[in-house]
């Protein structure tokens, strides 16, 4: 007599049950994979700005989008107006290097019908203005560029012995060179100050040397940049006001570290660094859209990488390992961003 275990019908039922379990596990595995990598199968083309501090920001988004499963192409370097046109036409899907409101005039007509500008990933980080050594700020009560009209202040900042305070500024041909000269004209400062317009590295080196020697110094700089690391605002130096240069309420920046007042009028519009992306891409990719909302980057880290690029002569691809190190060091925070992105795709 044939046993039940060897009965053909029983074998078929067992085989069917095994197959069903296998199919169920495969479906569950596929579902889990889709949840973990909502961007799987989607190719993304980013754009990146031409200045060095844009590079680490760019690679952060490449890394995180790849963790979401996206196939991210190497970022293409574009000038600002071309980048915004590429976003509006869908030739590039996103650009994490918007500086607003500075870039508003560079947007093509009807841009907001085709593109979205996200909340700042680094608020008031695109800054430029005038810094004074902290000791002199305290000693002379300096808060404003017009304080250099005072005899005592002017004498303290006279590096050349001609009776005028020296502002270590920008070389001819730079936009900041014109901005500084416009400020001199606005406040009629030529009688009281010199714009030292040698090469920027030489100018900064002179200001740094004076401050390290305990002397007074006034200089122009911008951020994110390596220059903000050599002399740290709020510790070594302080941002001072140059009001009324940019005749727009946007020149009043709030929450700037190391500013003598809050808000402060920098003399240049302080910019928020923001992600800009194509609307069609966002509609099709809610995970990417949520990631663009989540990411927040510190100006100190961006400046550190910018410094490393200059000191070590790093090409854009050579910056990527530095970004990977930062992500690893901030894994808990980054995982929170990714979880939010994955949840948005469900």
């Amino acid at each position: 007599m044939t046993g039940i275990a060897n009965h053909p019908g029983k074998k078929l039922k067992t085989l069917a049950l095994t197959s069903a379990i296998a199919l169920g596990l495969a479906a569950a595995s596929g579902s889990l994979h889709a949840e973990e990598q909502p961007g799987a199968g989607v190719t993304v083309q980013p754009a990146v700005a031409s200045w060095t501090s844009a590079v680490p920001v760019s690679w952060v988004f490449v890394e995180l989008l790849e963790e979401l499963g996206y196939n991210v192409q190497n970022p293409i370097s574009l000038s600002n107006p071309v980048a915004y046109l590429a976003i509006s036409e869908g030739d590039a899907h996103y650009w994490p290097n918007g500086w607003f409101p500075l870039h508003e005039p560079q947007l093509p007509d009807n841009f907001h019908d085709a593109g979205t500008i996200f909340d700042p990933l680094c608020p008031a980080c695109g800054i430029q203005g005038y810094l004074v050594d902290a000791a002199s700020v305290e000693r002379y009560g300096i808060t404003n560029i017009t304080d250099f009209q005072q005899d005592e202040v002017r004498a303290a900042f006279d590096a050349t012995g001609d009776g005028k305070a020296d502002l270590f500024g920008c070389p001819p041909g730079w936009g900041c060179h014109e901005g500084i000269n416009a400020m001199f004209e606005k406040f009629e400062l030529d009688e009281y100050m010199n714009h030292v317009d040698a090469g920027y590295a030489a100018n900064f080196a002179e200001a740094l040397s004076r401050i390290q020697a305990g002397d007074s110094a006034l200089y122009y700089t911008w951020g994110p940049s390596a220059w903000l690391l050599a002399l740290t605002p709020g510790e070594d130096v302080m941002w001072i006001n140059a009001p009324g240069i940019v005749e727009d309420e946007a020149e009043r920046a709030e929450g700037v570290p190391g500013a003598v007042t809050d808000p402060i009028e920098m003399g240049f519009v302080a910019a928020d660094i923001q992600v800009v992306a194509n609307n069609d891409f966002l509609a099709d990719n809610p995970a990417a859209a949520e990631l663009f909302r989540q990411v927040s980057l510190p100006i100190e880290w961006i400046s550190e990488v910018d410094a490393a690029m200059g000191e070590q002569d790093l090409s854009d691809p050579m910056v990527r390992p530095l970004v990977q190190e930062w992500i690893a060091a901030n894994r808990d925070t980054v995982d929170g961003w990714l979880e939010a992105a994955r949840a948005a795709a469900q």
Side-chain angles (χ1 to χ4, degrees):
M1 182 176 180
T2 304
I4 294 177
N6 295 322
H7 194 281
K10 180 66 174 178
K11 288 183 179 180
L12 289 174
K13 288 180 181 179
T14 302
L15 181 60
L17 180 60
T18 302
S19 298
I21 292 172
L23 287 170
L25 289 173
S29 175
S31 176
L32 179 61
H33 178 77
E35 290 179 2
E36 288 296 308
Q37 295 201 313
V42 179
T43 298
V44 183
Q45 179 60 69
V48 61
S50 56
W51 55 87
T52 55
S53 64
V55 176
V57 176
S58 173
W59 283 121
V60 166
F61 285 95
V62 172
E63 286 285 330
L64 299 187
L65 285 168
E66 287 186 346
E67 288 201 38
L68 293 173
Y70 289 96
N71 175 29
V72 186
Q73 305 297 295
N74 282 334
I76 49 175
S77 180
L78 298 175
S79 65
N80 308 344
V82 175
Y84 295 125
L85 183 61
I87 292 292
S88 66
E89 295 182 350
D91 295 327
H93 295 124
Y94 74 93
W95 146 281
N97 306 128
W99 280 35
F100 293 95
L102 289 178
H103 288 180
E104 282 286 351
Q106 300 174 342
L107 297 176
D109 292 341
N110 301 317
F111 173 80
H112 297 283
D113 293 336
T116 294
I117 301 173
F118 286 82
D119 287 342
L121 65 93
C122 194
C125 286
I127 53 177
Q128 50 184 328
Y130 305 103
L131 290 141
V132 173
D133 62 286
S136 294
V137 167
E138 183 175 354
R139 184 179 304 124
Y140 302 109
I142 298 171
T143 62
N144 195 305
I145 199 72
T146 57
D147 290 333
F148 289 86
Q149 294 174 333
Q150 301 172 24
D151 292 343
E152 183 182 26
V153 176
R154 190 167 70 247
F157 288 80
D158 181 5
T160 58
D162 64 356
K164 297 182 180 182
D166 292 299
L167 188 163
F168 296 100
C170 299
W174 287 27
C176 49
H177 183 270
E178 297 177 6
I180 294 171
N181 288 344
M183 179 188 70
F184 271 49
E185 182 178 353
K186 171 88 174 182
F187 293 129
E188 299 180 346
L189 293 174
D190 287 310
E191 182 181 343
Y192 307 98
M193 302 177 70
N194 288 317
H195 176 192
V196 183
D197 59 0
Y200 187 81
N203 268 351
F204 184 84
E206 181 63 23
L208 176 63
S209 176
R210 286 181 59 81
I211 292 172
Q212 290 177 334
D215 295 326
S216 300
L218 164 68
Y219 66 99
Y220 161 91
T221 201
W222 70 93
S225 72
W227 315 110
L228 292 183
L229 300 179
L231 290 168
T232 304
E235 298 178 14
D236 308 305
V237 292
M238 302 290 290
W239 296 101
I240 65 169
N241 287 279
I245 300 301
V246 181
E247 296 182 0
D248 189 311
E249 197 58 30
E251 73 165 337
R252 298 174 62 83
E254 297 182 356
V256 176
V260 293
T261 60
D262 188 19
I264 182 170
E265 298 185 63
M266 307 287 289
F268 299 85
V269 175
D272 295 328
I273 301 178
Q274 298 171 260
V275 177
V276 182
N278 176 270
N279 284 346
D280 290 339
F281 171 75
L282 296 174
D284 293 339
N285 294 278
E290 185 60 31
L291 183 71
F292 296 155
R293 296 186 189 98
Q294 291 286 326
V295 174
S296 176
L297 300 176
I299 188 174
E300 296 82 5
W301 175 72
I302 300 171
S303 297
E304 286 171 6
V305 178
D306 185 61
M309 291 182 70
E311 293 167 1
Q312 302 173 37
D313 193 25
L314 302 179
S315 64
D316 286 13
M318 294 167 69
V319 174
R320 193 167 186 177
L322 301 180
V323 171
Q324 293 167 342
E325 290 175 8
W326 183 86
I327 289 173
N330 294 273
R331 193 72 247 183
D332 288 347
T333 299
V334 169
D335 282 345
W337 299 340
L338 295 172
E339 287 172 11
R342 292 181 178 115
Q346 294 177 9

